[in-house]
Amino acid sequence: MKQLIVTIFVIEILILAGMYYFNNQLFWTFNIYEIVSTSAILVGYAFVFIFKNFETQHNYFNFSIGLILYLCCSITIFLFGNLDLVLYEDPYIDIWIFNTLFYIIFQYLVYREYLFFKNKE
């Protein structure tokens, strides 16, 4: 599993380095591929962690679940980042509020994970 993670990491770094090397304008533009690919890899790693440790005695998977929720929300928002839906000047509800809400939920789940490990000691 460690070899797979390192392999995916190296491939992603090479792809991103190549993209930025051959197109310097990506440094100043909204690069959807970078955001989605790195976030999707982290979501995949979190799912693998949950499934591999599902049989062990672990009452909380708060960090992994929070990471999955937050990054899935962020991926969705950033995929539509270039659309008018995200960039309305006077929307009925600001779409970025959802990202902030899921970030707060993620922080709460990290705190619960911290309490779980603190009480475990």
Side-chain angles (χ1 to χ4, degrees), residues 8-24 26-27 31-39 41:
I8 291 172
F9 172 73
V10 168
I11 290 171
E12 181 67 18
I13 292 296
L14 290 174
I15 290 171
L16 290 174
M19 287 176 63
Y20 283 104
Y21 179 76
F22 291 114
N23 187 1
N24 293 339
L26 289 176
F27 283 110
N31 189 355
I32 294 175
Y33 174 78
E34 177 186 5
I35 295 167
V36 172
S37 66
T38 54
S39 296
I41 289 171

Side-chain angles (χ1 to χ4, degrees), residues 47-58 61 64:
F47 273 122
V48 168
F49 174 77
I50 289 172
F51 289 127
K52 286 192 80 78
N53 293 311
F54 204 64
E55 297 172 353
T56 61
Q57 177 63 26
H58 195 304
F61 291 106
S64 297

Side-chain angles (χ1 to χ4, degrees), residues 7 16 33 41 44-45 57 66 71 73 81 94 99-100 108 111:
T7 304
L16 290 174
Y33 174 78
I41 289 171
Y45 290 160
Q57 177 63 26
L71 288 179
C73 175
D94 192 8
N99 195 32
T100 305
Y108 173 72
Y111 178 69

Side-chain angles (χ1 to χ4, degrees), residues 35-93:
I35 295 167
V36 172
S37 66
T38 54
S39 296
I41 289 171
L42 290 173
V43 168
Y45 290 160
F47 273 122
V48 168
F49 174 77
I50 289 172
F51 289 127
K52 286 192 80 78
N53 293 311
F54 204 64
E55 297 172 353
T56 61
Q57 177 63 26
H58 195 304
N59 295 333
Y60 298 105
F61 291 106
N62 291 317
F63 179 80
S64 297
I65 292 170
L67 187 69
I68 291 168
L69 288 174
Y70 171 66
L71 288 179
C72 286
C73 175
S74 292
I75 288 171
T76 305
I77 290 172
F78 284 118
L79 276 175
F80 297 107
N82 289 336
L83 298 178
D84 289 335
L85 173 69
V86 178
L87 302 175
Y88 282 147
E89 285 186 26
D90 193 22
Y92 179 70
I93 185 167

